Amino acid sequence: MMIKEKSLREKSIVFIGFMGVGKTTIGRLVAQNLYRSFIDIDEQIEKKFQMPVPDVFKLLGEPAFREKEKELVNKYANQSLKVISLGGGAFMQEEIRDVCLNNCTVFYLDMPWDSWKERIHLLMADRPVLQGRSLEDIEELFYSRQAAYASHHSKVTIGKDSPEEIADYITNSLKTAWKLYE
Ligand SMILES: Nc1ncnc2c1ncn2[C@@H]1O[C@H](COP(=O)(O)OP(=O)(O)OP(=O)(O)O)[C@@H](O)[C@H]1O
Ligand SMILES: O=C(O)C1=C[C@@H](O)[C@@H](O)[C@H](O)C1
Ligand SMILES: [Mg+2]
């Protein structure tokens, strides 16, 4: 049996990048722009475990969180025509990187450290990975994850633009790529 390869237009779009760069906020808007279903992997994990992410870390432990994250990314990255926002740590798992890069269009939302650290106050309360760490530790974590995010198909550097402006830019660049390559 011949298996037809997915066209670029059919592929799901996956957003990756460090915690708090805007994957959930921007992913949701891109999905609206493209009339696609939006899947946020952290939200799906919360639904599965019936508790918020910090409680999953506290009560079940990070390994249980990472296992569920892998299972859910595997499920959704194999589907077409979705917009999927991963959690900030998901791309540290090789299996997650492979399934996304092989089946989807992976968009990296990149943000320089100096801009990112201005956003930290928005994130501390519900990002367990940041809690109890000094700014120096968080900076080290930030840079240690860059190698994994370097595997992507397309990148946008996040500056001072609003989520709507960034989502519109991404939507237009996707539509241009679809026209160019098909
Ligand atoms: N372009 C932007 N300008 C200003 N604030 C933003 C922008 N994008 C996102 N934010 C804010 O930053 C915070 C983090 O955004 P969001 O939850 O979308 O990040 P995330 O990448 O999904 O994080 P995580 O990896 O933890 O899932 C939110 O409070 C959101 O409102
Ligand atoms: O960067 C991380 O390791 C995480 C980011 C969030 O999206 C959540 O997936 C969780 O808080 C872990
Ligand atoms: Mg998110």
Side-chain angles (χ1 to χ4, degrees):
M1 188 178 72
M2 272 258 294
I3 298 174
K4 188 176 161 279
E5 214 189 296
K6 262 186 228 166
S7 71
L8 198 58
R9 195 184 287 268
E10 276 176 306
K11 287 186 176 190
S12 290
I13 296 147
V14 168
F15 286 104
I16 64 162
F18 199 65
M19 255 167 287
V21 296
K23 299 177 297 294
T24 298
T25 312
I26 291 161
R28 197 184 301 283
L29 293 168
V30 170
Q32 277 169 21
N33 286 347
L34 295 173
Y35 304 98
R36 290 188 179 199
S37 322
F38 175 63
I39 309 292
D40 186 81
I41 297 297
D42 285 334
E43 272 174 26
Q44 294 293 325
I45 295 170
E46 290 182 330
K47 236 201 235 166
K48 283 279 177 199
F49 286 131
Q50 292 285 297
M51 61 179 97
V53 167
D55 288 355
V56 179
F57 271 67
K58 208 165 23 181
L59 301 174
L60 308 176
E62 182 169 352
F65 177 89
R66 297 299 176 197
E67 203 44 45
K68 188 58 74 187
E69 183 173 53
K70 187 169 68 185
E71 181 188 314
L72 287 164
V73 177
N74 260 314
K75 171 178 168 185
Y76 287 110
N78 278 299
Q79 298 180 7
S80 302
L81 295 167
K82 302 273 183 289
V83 175
I84 306 165
S85 291
L86 303 192
F91 241 48
M92 299 310 110
Q93 300 196 58
E94 189 180 5
E95 201 176 323
I96 291 186
R97 287 199 299 278
D98 287 348
V99 72
C100 292
L101 290 163
N102 291 332
N103 295 285
C104 308
T105 299
V106 176
F107 245 97
Y108 171 34
L109 302 185
D110 186 22
M111 206 171 170
W113 167 254
D114 282 338
S115 322
W116 185 86
K117 70 179 190 284
E118 303 297 319
R119 215 177 259 187
I120 197 166
H121 65 283
L122 299 173
L123 308 172
M124 264 330 199
D126 51 7
R127 304 308 195 276
V129 171
L130 300 179
Q131 287 161 3
R133 293 198 192 220
S134 66
L135 192 62
E136 289 71 30
D137 285 349
I138 295 172
E139 184 175 8
E140 201 181 309
L141 179 73
F142 181 93
Y143 285 110
S144 73
R145 286 185 169 183
Q146 302 301 313
Y149 302 142
S151 303
H152 56 260
H153 299 114
S154 209
K155 174 174 113 164
V156 174
T157 301
I158 306 290
K160 299 232 172 295
D161 293 335
S162 70
E164 288 75 13
E165 287 168 322
I166 300 163
D168 289 349
Y169 172 80
I170 292 170
T171 307
N172 290 331
S173 66
L174 280 164
K175 286 183 176 169
T176 304
W178 293 341
K179 275 196 205 120
L180 270 177
Y181 296 109
E182 278 161 27

